Amino acid sequence: MYHYATVTKALEELAEKGFTIDFNIHENDIIANPSHYEIVHIYRYEGQTNPDDEATVYGIKSVSGEKGVFVAGQLASSENDIEKVLIDLSIKGRTE
């Protein structure tokens, strides 16, 4: 796990490591084909004064080798399908 001061800094440094695709715009494919993706990096950023500022940056690699990021806010309280899939992928990665 990497530690960055801000979400912006995390995104900049991940881009330098080749995580250049914005997987937020491909969320329907991630939902439909979760086995085609692997989370290789997770960074959680907690807002110091406001819980609404919480975010998680995922470094994701596809089976075809594409690397990119997905930025999500407040996963624990979310009801979105994509965030449920990301949590499942995250948990799967920790248990293997």
Side-chain angles (χ1 to χ4, degrees):
M1 180 176 287
Y2 300 98
H3 299 281
Y4 302 106
T6 65
V7 170
T8 301
K9 186 66 172 169
L11 293 172
E12 289 171 358
E13 292 199 18
L14 286 170
E16 290 175 12
K17 296 177 187 303
F19 291 83
T20 56
I21 295 172
D22 180 357
F23 279 120
N24 285 75
I25 61 175
H26 300 285
E27 72 177 62
N28 290 334
D29 189 58
I30 295 171
I31 292 167
N33 304 291
S35 64
H36 294 179
Y37 298 92
E38 174 186 9
I39 294 174
V40 295
H41 168 81
I42 299 174
Y43 172 74
R44 289 184 176 85
Y45 179 76
E46 296 182 13
Q48 293 184 9
T49 58
N50 186 347
D52 290 337
D53 292 338
E54 294 178 5
T56 303
V57 176
Y58 292 92
I60 297 175
K61 184 176 177 183
S62 72
V63 293
S64 63
E66 296 176 311
K67 295 192 304 185
V69 296
F70 191 98
V71 180
Q74 292 187 299
L75 289 180
S77 63
S78 178
E79 296 297 323
N80 293 333
D81 290 338
I82 184 62
E83 292 170 348
K84 290 177 186 176
V85 169
L86 291 171
I87 289 170
D88 288 345
L89 287 175
S90 171
I91 292 168
K92 178 184 173 191
R94 281 186 262 162
T95 59
E96 292 180 346

